[in-house]
Amino acid sequence: MIKIFDLTDVISIKDFQKKDIQYILKKAENLEKVAKSEEYSDELAGKILGMMFFEPSTRTRLSFETGMKRLGGSCVGFDGSVASSVSKGENLADTSKMFEAYSDALVIRHDLEGVAKFISDIVDVPVINAGDGAGQHPTQTLLDIYTIKRRFDKIKDLNIALVGDLKYGRTVHSLAYALGMFDVQMSFVAPDELKMPKETLHDLEKDNVKFYQTNNLKDVIDDVDVLYVTRIQKERFPDEEEYSKIKGAYLINHHLIKGKDLIVMHPLPRVGEISTDVDNTKYNKYFEQAFYGVPVRMAILKNIIKNKI
Amino acid sequence: MIKIFDLTDVISIKDFQKKDIQYILKKAENLEKVAKSEEYSDELAGKILGMMFFEPSTRTRLSFETGMKRLGGSCVGFDGSVASSVSKGENLADTSKMFEAYSDALVIRHDLEGVAKFISDIVDVPVINAGDGAGQHPTQTLLDIYTIKRRFDKIKDLNIALVGDLKYGRTVHSLAYALGMFDVQMSFVAPDELKMPKETLHDLEKDNVKFYQTNNLKDVIDDVDVLYVTRIQKERFPDEEEYSKIKGAYLINHHLIKGKDLIVMHPLPRVGEISTDVDNTKYNKYFEQAFYGVPVRMAILKNIIKNKI
Amino acid sequence: MIKIFDLTDVISIKDFQKKDIQYILKKAENLEKVAKSEEYSDELAGKILGMMFFEPSTRTRLSFETGMKRLGGSCVGFDGSVASSVSKGENLADTSKMFEAYSDALVIRHDLEGVAKFISDIVDVPVINAGDGAGQHPTQTLLDIYTIKRRFDKIKDLNIALVGDLKYGRTVHSLAYALGMFDVQMSFVAPDELKMPKETLHDLEKDNVKFYQTNNLKDVIDDVDVLYVTRIQKERFPDEEEYSKIKGAYLINHHLIKGKDLIVMHPLPRVGEISTDVDNTKYNKYFEQAFYGVPVRMAILKNIIKNKI
């Protein structure tokens, strides 16, 4: 029996218990028709979402906006383009108090870890962290898990491989943590330079989460249900040649996965990690995954924006 | 008897049959009161228009937004300012699939010919071309024709002069093509350097469309019902002097048209082609023309956005 | 008995009679619940506010947008970021006629004095001046007065000190003028370089408004009900040292006001004029003041946007 979701802010996936995640997954499913405009809702009519995007993020921003508008609400704010940024010289606290005065909830994107938490401590409206630097991006994790749930109708007992840059990738740390609650087998596939950090592994071990590490995609490709691919950034490597070699070794293309029983996911944007010859196959779940950002964020918005009438 | 409009995308005016144009003209007229907020509509409540403006275009963008919002709908996207553009490095197809996931229809503005068509082939939502480089801008053509229809209550049997840069002007090529369906007399008034391209003339001849060419505005000024003026860009000329001479010869001012029975149109923005002494005269139809972008685009939006409820 | 508000444009606070101000104060109070989304309204559903922000102003822009959206309306336009600005080369009149065609009212922010008035003379929709350079910003003045009214339940018989840059500060000139209608005692506290201009003082004297001038905050601090603080800009001083000295002398901190019976206001953004140790005290009214921009602007919008249905 799923209880009521009682988080007032959505700052870190670590604030979520398993029941909270399950609650959001359930609610998101109910909202899919609204997200596709196959059903009409004006549940958030008159409500305003404050968009504080200190750095750009098209997919995250647009899916929050679409989610809010599909529920009849509106958005105000700035979009992270250099030119749109806030009043020169104003401190973050004052800017946040301003948004608090004009909104029913805030979505914050910032390149510094901890900013969303800082803001949630000084405003009285709910705050959603839409990515704070190397920190957290909890709604991305929720939509990732939702994508898996929608495909397999369960999360438990799946073999999920996280592939690519597991060292710096904010997304994969949160995802590994959250999947750890669901009794899955995880495989971490990364070049030696970009392995999952020891702290993350240690946390998983403490929680008795099973995982396997390798730098060779071939080791796991026959057994996995999910290939979760992330971007490998050029800047992480000392020279171009090393980067090209690694990139080639982790490229997902149709040839590699043909005949296997798996899905391919990616938080997007991709820059060459998945060949376009996967796009029109049954393996491709990354476009659907992007769509699922809408119902998942709608579920969050519906639950944290208070009805004060 | 006007049949149902059955285009799913609006890419090129060449996809329109005469009956399609007539259908939009009729529907636009019915929507004028809503466009002026003299009547209320929420027919597109809950619907979202994705705005993919890869280059700026204030008039086109705002009239689409106003049209969508007058019908109760919402917009998401980017506006073509450098800073607002999409995620670095993401390919156009992936960006389009993202917008497909978040919208009920897409409006695309791009500086490369063929982009709107390319996108319409890979997404399942309707696509409207809002200008693709040297290519097409079909809703501009529709609002141009609508302006003529509203003034004369017919299009047939009018003498319509297209004036200015007829070589590079995207607008005039589409307009000439579309007017060709309506049994009008066309005059093409341009300096020798900027004459209507041979291919366009050839197409018109094939369809038995009557036209007359001149480089002298005086040749036609006494006979025309419509002076459709376009911008002559400095960059088209090797030297400043030549440009100034040409610009002067094609300047429309009150003195030139006083006492004649004609209207002056311009897709706007103008940069000196029409003197401001025409603004407060009965000849000025260019401001109304800009307004007509709203009901015409509303008619398009209403007809291509599917009701899935 | 308050009469109907009959201004069609909101250009200058000098166009307001006392009864007009009282009318807006009254109406704003009725709208506070809607501004906080404790009550629902769709009174401006289908209406569109054109936002012509030629320079950025986050607080003013967002509070107009929030106000419009809380009433069910929508906004279109540009936000003053360099990149978002209008079509290259188009004159202001043509841009304004475009916005007239797409909106039910216009909000204009420009760095040149007189622009809002100029535009209001050429368009047929209501125009609101949201700040024109050194000129007027009437809705700021209205929300300032509203803040005082909400705290003291009157304006009359209060002692109100305007502090800081009284020479260049657009806000304080309008506020002094408007407060002059309400039988208050005003104190003007400024360094000698930044004193209230002679013309403003002369206007007040003509209207028999009582005021007192000093460059020493201590002279008034025991007697005032309101400390209205404004920014002192570095650029106003020949050297850094002089600036630092002045800034220090006018800094409002908790120590200075502790035990007094007064409120601190500021149009925001502040850049160091008020110490953050005032933020969590009863003296702080500047955050509420920012919120009051919403109901006050809603009252204006409701009254100038014509119902044409």
Side-chain angles (χ1 to χ4, degrees):
Chain A
M1 180 59 195
I2 294 165
K3 292 205 344 222
I4 292 299
F5 181 76
D6 53 8
L7 293 175
T8 48
D9 299 300
V10 175
I11 303 300
S12 165
I13 199 68
K14 299 201 171 179
D15 303 329
F16 283 72
Q17 297 178 41
K18 188 176 176 181
K19 70 168 179 59
D20 296 317
I21 296 179
Q22 287 171 319
Y23 180 83
I24 293 298
L25 299 181
K26 182 78 194 152
K27 290 294 169 183
E29 203 159 345
N30 297 338
L31 286 163
E32 265 197 37
K33 277 174 184 269
V34 179
K36 289 176 176 162
S37 87
E38 292 168 4
E39 250 175 40
Y40 177 71
S41 168
D42 59 3
E43 210 165 335
L44 295 185
K47 301 297 183 188
I48 291 173
L49 184 62
M51 309 289 284
M52 299 177 71
F53 276 66
F54 292 94
E55 59 170 26
S57 171
T58 313
R59 218 166 303 266
T60 300
R61 181 174 65 84
L62 292 189
S63 60
F64 268 113
E65 286 199 14
T66 289
M68 192 67 190
K69 290 170 179 178
R70 290 289 197 209
L71 291 167
S74 304
C75 302
V76 302
F78 45 86
D79 68 4
S81 60
V82 181
S84 77
S85 76
V86 284
S87 317
K88 279 161 290 175
E90 179 164 60
N91 71 48
L92 190 57
D94 282 13
T95 304
S96 303
K97 295 299 283 181
M98 165 176 64
F99 269 85
E100 176 189 21
Y102 303 155
S103 315
D104 298 292
L106 305 183
V107 179
I108 292 150
R109 174 90 168 201
H110 201 284
D111 60 352
L112 284 182
E113 193 169 344
V115 164
K117 173 74 179 128
F118 169 78
I119 292 176
S120 74
D121 287 342
I122 55 174
V123 301
D124 277 336
V125 294
V127 168
I128 301 170
N129 184 0
D132 58 341
Q136 284 275 330
H137 188 5
T139 59
Q140 176 71 47
T141 301
L142 293 168
L143 77 88
D144 291 343
I145 294 180
Y146 184 71
T147 305
I148 297 169
K149 174 75 172 5
R150 285 288 274 110
R151 167 62 187 78
F152 296 99
D153 208 23
K154 64 171 185 181
I155 302 162
K156 198 177 153 165
D157 296 334
L158 297 173
N159 190 332
I160 298 167
L162 309 187
V163 180
D165 176 0
L166 305 186
K167 185 172 180 187
Y168 300 101
R170 168 178 64 192
T171 302
V172 285
H173 303 163
S174 298
L175 184 56
Y177 173 84
L179 287 172
M181 300 182 200
F182 286 90
D183 205 13
V184 301
Q185 165 73 44
M186 276 184 277
S187 304
F188 301 143
V189 186
D192 294 339
E193 298 91 331
L194 297 175
K195 286 171 78 173
M196 191 67 91
K198 286 218 168 61
E199 311 85 87
T200 308
L201 298 179
H202 187 70
D203 283 355
L204 295 173
E205 276 161 353
K206 260 196 332 197
D207 293 345
N208 295 311
V209 180
K210 294 161 286 177
F211 61 86
Y212 169 76
Q213 290 200 87
T214 178
N215 60 18
N216 191 345
L217 200 46
K218 301 254 159 69
D219 287 353
V220 301
I221 195 76
D222 289 324
D223 301 319
V224 296
D225 301 295
V226 176
L227 274 182
Y228 189 98
V229 185
T230 61
R231 202 174 346 164
I232 298 181
Q233 291 179 290
K234 214 188 221 159
E235 306 89 85
R236 305 299 184 199
F237 294 89
D239 61 64
E240 184 96 12
E241 202 186 328
E242 180 67 9
Y243 169 66
S244 293
K245 216 181 70 189
I246 293 288
K247 207 177 162 183
Y250 290 86
L251 175 71
I252 310 296
N253 59 28
H254 191 217
H255 177 74
L256 179 78
I257 56 179
K258 216 168 102 179
K260 318 260 187 265
D261 190 18
L262 58 80
I263 61 169
V264 179
M265 293 174 62
H266 192 297
L268 301 180
R270 63 176 159 176
V271 198
E273 301 85 27
I274 302 172
S275 169
T276 54
D277 68 8
V278 182
D279 290 5
N280 293 313
T281 70
K282 61 175 180 177
Y283 305 107
N284 169 4
K285 281 286 157 187
Y286 35 92
F287 290 149
E288 258 174 271
Q289 184 184 357
F291 163 69
Y292 291 142
V294 182
V296 166
R297 287 171 176 132
M298 288 166 81
I300 296 282
L301 291 169
K302 264 192 53 163
N303 276 280
I304 67 168
I305 294 180
K306 286 166 201 77
N307 191 343
K308 295 176 280 183
I309 297 177
Chain B
M1 180 62 192
I2 294 165
K3 293 204 344 221
I4 292 300
F5 181 75
D6 54 9
L7 293 175
T8 49
D9 299 300
V10 175
I11 303 300
S12 165
I13 199 69
K14 298 203 171 179
D15 304 330
F16 282 72
Q17 297 178 40
K18 188 176 175 181
K19 70 169 177 58
D20 297 317
I21 296 178
Q22 286 172 320
Y23 180 82
I24 292 298
L25 298 182
K26 182 77 193 151
K27 290 294 169 183
E29 203 160 345
N30 297 337
L31 286 163
E32 265 196 37
K33 276 174 184 269
V34 179
K36 288 175 177 163
S37 87
E38 292 169 4
E39 249 175 41
Y40 176 71
S41 167
D42 60 2
E43 210 165 336
L44 295 184
K47 302 297 183 189
I48 292 172
L49 184 62
M51 309 290 284
M52 300 176 72
F53 276 67
F54 292 93
E55 60 169 26
S57 170
T58 312
R59 219 166 302 264
T60 301
R61 180 173 67 84
L62 293 190
S63 60
F64 268 113
E65 287 199 13
T66 289
M68 191 67 189
K69 290 170 179 177
R70 291 288 197 209
L71 292 166
S74 303
C75 303
V76 302
F78 45 85
D79 67 4
S81 60
V82 181
S84 78
S85 76
V86 285
S87 316
K88 280 159 290 176
E90 178 164 61
N91 71 47
L92 191 57
D94 282 14
T95 303
S96 303
K97 296 299 283 181
M98 165 176 65
F99 269 85
E100 176 189 20
Y102 302 154
S103 315
D104 298 291
L106 305 182
V107 178
I108 293 151
R109 174 90 169 200
H110 202 284
D111 60 352
L112 284 183
E113 193 168 345
V115 163
K117 173 73 178 129
F118 169 78
I119 293 176
S120 73
D121 287 343
I122 55 174
V123 300
D124 277 336
V125 293
V127 168
I128 302 170
N129 184 359
D132 58 342
Q136 284 275 330
H137 188 4
T139 59
Q140 177 71 47
T141 302
L142 292 169
L143 79 88
D144 290 342
I145 295 180
Y146 184 71
T147 305
I148 297 170
K149 173 77 173 5
R150 284 287 275 107
R151 167 63 186 79
F152 295 99
D153 208 22
K154 64 171 185 180
I155 301 162
K156 200 177 150 164
D157 297 332
L158 296 174
N159 190 333
I160 297 166
L162 309 187
V163 181
D165 176 0
L166 306 186
K167 184 171 181 188
Y168 300 101
R170 168 178 65 193
T171 302
V172 284
H173 303 164
S174 298
L175 184 56
Y177 172 86
L179 286 173
M181 300 181 198
F182 286 89
D183 204 15
V184 300
Q185 165 73 45
M186 277 184 276
S187 304
F188 301 144
V189 186
D192 294 339
E193 298 92 330
L194 297 175
K195 286 171 76 174
M196 190 66 91
K198 285 220 166 58
E199 311 86 88
T200 308
L201 297 180
H202 187 70
D203 284 355
L204 294 173
E205 275 162 353
K206 261 197 330 198
D207 293 345
N208 295 311
V209 180
K210 293 163 284 177
F211 61 85
Y212 169 77
Q213 290 199 85
T214 177
N215 60 17
N216 191 345
L217 200 47
K218 302 254 158 69
D219 286 354
V220 302
I221 196 76
D222 289 324
D223 302 318
V224 296
D225 300 296
V226 176
L227 272 183
Y228 189 98
V229 185
T230 61
R231 203 172 347 162
I232 298 181
Q233 291 179 288
K234 215 188 218 156
E235 305 89 86
R236 305 301 184 200
F237 294 89
D239 61 65
E240 184 96 11
E241 201 187 329
E242 180 66 9
Y243 168 66
S244 293
K245 215 181 71 189
I246 293 289
K247 207 177 160 184
Y250 291 87
L251 175 71
I252 310 297
N253 59 27
H254 191 216
H255 177 75
L256 179 78
I257 56 180
K258 216 169 104 179
K260 316 257 186 267
D261 190 19
L262 57 82
I263 61 171
V264 179
M265 293 174 62
H266 191 297
L268 301 181
R270 62 177 159 175
V271 198
E273 303 84 25
I274 302 173
S275 168
T276 54
D277 68 7
V278 181
D279 291 5
N280 294 314
T281 70
K282 62 175 179 176
Y283 306 106
N284 170 4
K285 281 287 157 184
Y286 34 91
F287 290 149
E288 257 174 273
Q289 185 184 357
F291 163 69
Y292 290 142
V294 182
V296 165
R297 286 170 177 134
M298 289 166 80
I300 295 283
L301 291 169
K302 265 192 53 165
N303 276 281
I304 67 169
I305 294 180
K306 286 167 201 75
N307 192 345
K308 296 175 280 183
I309 297 179
Chain C
M1 178 64 192
I2 294 165
K3 293 208 338 226
I4 292 300
F5 181 75
D6 53 9
L7 292 175
T8 48
D9 299 301
V10 175
I11 304 300
S12 166
I13 199 69
K14 298 203 172 178
D15 303 330
F16 283 72
Q17 297 178 40
K18 188 177 176 180
K19 70 169 178 58
D20 297 317
I21 296 179
Q22 286 171 319
Y23 181 82
I24 292 298
L25 299 182
K26 183 79 193 151
K27 290 295 169 182
E29 204 159 346
N30 297 337
L31 286 163
E32 266 197 37
K33 277 174 184 268
V34 179
K36 289 176 174 162
S37 87
E38 292 168 3
E39 250 175 40
Y40 177 70
S41 167
D42 59 3
E43 209 165 335
L44 296 184
K47 300 298 182 187
I48 292 172
L49 184 62
M51 309 290 283
M52 300 177 72
F53 275 66
F54 292 93
E55 60 169 26
S57 171
T58 312
R59 219 166 302 266
T60 301
R61 180 173 66 84
L62 292 189
S63 60
F64 268 113
E65 287 199 13
T66 290
M68 191 67 190
K69 289 170 180 179
R70 290 290 198 209
L71 291 167
S74 304
C75 302
V76 302
F78 45 85
D79 67 4
S81 60
V82 181
S84 78
S85 76
V86 284
S87 315
K88 279 160 289 175
E90 179 164 61
N91 71 48
L92 191 57
D94 282 15
T95 303
S96 304
K97 295 299 282 181
M98 165 176 66
F99 269 86
E100 176 189 20
Y102 303 155
S103 316
D104 298 292
L106 305 182
V107 178
I108 292 151
R109 175 89 168 202
H110 202 284
D111 60 352
L112 284 182
E113 193 169 344
V115 164
K117 173 74 178 128
F118 168 78
I119 293 176
S120 75
D121 287 341
I122 56 175
V123 300
D124 277 335
V125 294
V127 169
I128 301 170
N129 184 0
D132 58 342
Q136 285 275 330
H137 188 5
T139 59
Q140 177 71 47
T141 302
L142 293 168
L143 78 89
D144 290 343
I145 295 180
Y146 183 72
T147 306
I148 297 169
K149 174 76 170 8
R150 283 288 276 109
R151 166 62 187 80
F152 296 99
D153 208 23
K154 64 170 185 181
I155 303 163
K156 199 177 150 162
D157 296 333
L158 296 174
N159 190 333
I160 299 167
L162 309 187
V163 180
D165 176 359
L166 306 186
K167 184 172 181 185
Y168 299 102
R170 167 178 64 193
T171 303
V172 284
H173 303 164
S174 299
L175 183 57
Y177 173 85
L179 286 173
M181 299 181 200
F182 287 90
D183 204 12
V184 300
Q185 164 73 44
M186 277 184 277
S187 304
F188 301 143
V189 185
D192 294 339
E193 298 91 331
L194 298 175
K195 286 171 77 174
M196 190 66 90
K198 286 220 167 58
E199 310 85 89
T200 308
L201 298 180
H202 187 70
D203 283 354
L204 294 173
E205 277 161 352
K206 259 196 332 197
D207 294 344
N208 295 312
V209 180
K210 292 163 285 177
F211 61 87
Y212 169 77
Q213 290 200 86
T214 177
N215 61 16
N216 191 347
L217 199 46
K218 302 252 160 68
D219 287 354
V220 302
I221 195 75
D222 290 324
D223 302 318
V224 296
D225 301 295
V226 177
L227 272 182
Y228 189 99
V229 185
T230 61
R231 205 175 343 165
I232 297 181
Q233 291 179 293
K234 215 189 219 155
E235 306 89 86
R236 306 300 184 199
F237 294 90
D239 61 65
E240 183 96 12
E241 202 187 329
E242 180 67 10
Y243 169 66
S244 293
K245 215 182 70 189
I246 292 288
K247 206 178 161 182
Y250 290 88
L251 175 72
I252 310 296
N253 58 27
H254 191 215
H255 177 75
L256 180 78
I257 56 181
K258 216 168 103 179
K260 316 257 187 269
D261 190 19
L262 57 81
I263 61 171
V264 180
M265 294 174 61
H266 193 297
L268 301 179
R270 64 177 158 175
V271 198
E273 303 84 24
I274 303 173
S275 169
T276 54
D277 67 8
V278 182
D279 291 4
N280 294 313
T281 70
K282 62 175 180 176
Y283 306 106
N284 170 4
K285 281 287 157 184
Y286 34 92
F287 290 149
E288 259 175 88
Q289 185 183 357
F291 162 70
Y292 290 141
V294 182
V296 166
R297 286 171 176 131
M298 288 166 81
I300 295 283
L301 290 169
K302 264 192 52 163
N303 276 280
I304 67 169
I305 294 180
K306 286 166 200 77
N307 192 344
K308 294 177 279 183
I309 297 178

